[in-house]
């Protein structure tokens, strides 16, 4: 089984470039085409927030029309750029979205148990997992202790070294981490928000951030570094469930790349 992650698509209104520069809709369309064209297609895609840039209904209409082109089912959690009312209206056919303040849910129809966790805080760029959401998660985790489990959320509950993003990460991370430590079936935590490939051993599980298919937050370890972005190679996360039942994280680069080229000739000889 392969699980795809798309994150931080930041869709604007048709024809509107993000920051005057980035055709985010074009990048998402190419990401969707990329996933659909993979020789072994992912069984499911996880969309980890900041689906739209300003949370406008027109943005969601465009985002939904692009995501609906995915050839596999997809599941969304919100990011800080999303607006819950407009998001819920646009995705009203996504029956898994609960009628609750928070978009938290479990998908248990695959060999990997997928848990979507809403890390947003109304009106805040930063996120948090409050007591209520943590209790909900603890309850869900206790229902199935042995199945490989993957948690996906927008805000990373760990620091990355990119200061202007770290100050708006997910508060309550230590308490959430204690849950991970108590539940080793959670093999992986997939996040967004920082638009870069980042991974860390976090409370006994592997936590990671995926790049955006569009713009990357600039890699800048200067604590006084200004918020900025680079146009780096667009990519998405692919998680492979191995025969041993381990979740293995890959990056898949979107676009045309030279290859495949053989290592061996037709007689089995190593090509010089
Ligand atoms: Fe974002």
């Amino acid at each position: 089984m392969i699980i795809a992650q798309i994150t931080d698509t930041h869709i604007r209104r048709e024809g509107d470039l993000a920051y005057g520069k980035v055709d985010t809709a074009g990048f998402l369309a190419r990401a969707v085409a990329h996933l659909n064209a993979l020789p072994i297609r992912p069984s499911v895609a996880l969309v980890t927030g900041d689906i739209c840039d300003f949370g406008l209904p027109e943005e969601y209409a465009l985002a939904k029309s692009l995501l609906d082109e995915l050839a596999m089912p997809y599941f969304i959690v919100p990011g800080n750029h999303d607006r819950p009312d407009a998001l819920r209206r646009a995705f009203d056919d996504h029956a898994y979205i609960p009628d609750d303040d928070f978009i938290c849910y479990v998908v248990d129809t695959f060999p990997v148990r997928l848990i979507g966790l809403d890390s947003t805080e109304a009106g805040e760029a930063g996120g948090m997992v409050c007591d209520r959401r943590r209790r909900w998660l603890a309850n869900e985790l206790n229902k199935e202790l042995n199945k490989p489990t993957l948690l996906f959320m927008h805000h990373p509950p760990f620091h990355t070294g990119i200061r202007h993003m770290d100050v708006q990460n997910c508060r309550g991370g230590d308490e959430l981490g204690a849950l991970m430590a108590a539940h080793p079936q959670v093999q992986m935590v997939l996040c967004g928000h920082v638009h870069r490939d980042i991974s860390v051993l976090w409370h006994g599980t592997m936590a990671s951030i995926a790049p955006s298919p569009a713009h990357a937050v600039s890699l800048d370890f200067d604590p006084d570094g200004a918020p900025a972005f680079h146009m780096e190679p667009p990519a998405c996360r692919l998680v492979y469930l191995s025969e041993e039942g381990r979740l293995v994280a890959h990056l898949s680069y979107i676009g045309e790349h030279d290859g495949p080229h053989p290592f061996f000739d037709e007689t089995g000889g190593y090509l010089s």
Side-chain angles (χ1 to χ4, degrees):
M1 179 190 183
I2 298 170
I3 300 161
Q5 181 191 9
I6 303 175
T7 195
D8 293 273
T9 49
H10 287 265
I11 299 301
R12 296 266 188 118
R13 288 179 295 200
E14 184 99 53
D16 190 4
L17 298 180
Y19 327 108
K21 199 172 265 303
V22 188
D23 173 19
T24 50
F27 280 107
L28 175 54
R30 288 189 287 280
V32 167
H34 175 75
L35 292 178
N36 289 345
L38 287 172
I40 298 183
R41 238 183 220 166
S43 304
V44 60
L46 308 175
V47 181
T48 48
D50 284 2
I51 297 166
C52 294
D53 205 30
F54 293 120
L56 303 172
E58 306 95 291
E59 295 177 343
Y60 282 112
L62 178 55
K64 175 87 164 41
S65 71
L66 294 167
L67 288 167
D68 280 352
E69 292 297 315
L70 283 166
M72 68 287 301
Y74 68 93
F75 297 88
I76 62 172
V77 288
N80 48 294
H81 281 256
D82 291 307
R83 294 290 168 269
D85 291 350
L87 181 149
R88 285 172 184 276
R89 271 196 295 276
F91 292 91
D92 63 356
D93 59 333
H94 282 224
Y96 62 87
I97 294 180
D99 186 18
D100 186 82
D101 291 344
F102 301 113
I103 297 179
C104 299
Y105 55 90
V106 178
V107 181
D108 215 356
T109 51
F110 296 102
V112 178
R113 197 159 183 249
L114 306 169
I115 303 184
L117 188 63
D118 186 337
S119 63
T120 60
E121 244 191 322
E124 301 285 335
M128 86 171 297
V129 176
C130 58
D131 289 349
R132 188 171 152 229
R133 279 171 278 185
R134 205 173 58 251
R135 277 197 302 273
W136 173 86
L137 179 60
N139 186 49
E140 292 299 328
L141 289 173
N142 284 328
K143 288 179 184 172
E144 175 55 85
L145 299 174
N146 298 313
K147 190 171 171 180
T149 300
L150 185 157
L151 184 66
F152 60 104
M153 59 197 286
H154 181 70
H155 295 85
F158 55 87
H159 288 142
T160 65
I162 302 174
R163 177 71 64 86
H164 68 89
M165 296 303 294
D166 285 345
V167 297
Q168 49 170 277
N169 77 341
C170 180
R171 290 189 291 126
D174 283 346
E175 293 87 344
L176 184 63
L179 263 186
M180 301 300 106
H183 290 277
Q185 80 268 25
V186 183
Q187 292 192 24
M188 204 172 263
V189 180
L190 299 183
C191 307
H193 197 48
V194 192
H195 296 225
R196 302 196 61 79
D197 176 29
I198 299 171
S199 56
V200 63
L201 176 62
W202 181 70
H203 295 270
T205 191
M206 186 192 138
S208 67
I209 300 169
S212 165
H215 49 301
V217 170
S218 302
L219 180 56
D220 184 356
F221 294 117
D222 180 347
D224 301 318
F229 66 91
H230 273 73
M231 299 311 299
E232 296 184 4
C236 55
R237 175 80 64 214
L238 295 182
V239 176
Y240 171 72
L241 176 64
S242 76
E243 288 170 21
E244 301 85 15
R246 292 201 180 90
L247 296 178
V248 183
H250 294 259
L251 272 191
S252 184
Y253 290 97
I254 298 161
E256 292 295 315
H257 305 289
D258 189 21
H261 301 290
F263 286 115
F264 300 96
D265 64 22
E266 50 288 346
T267 66
Y270 207 58
L271 287 164
S272 56

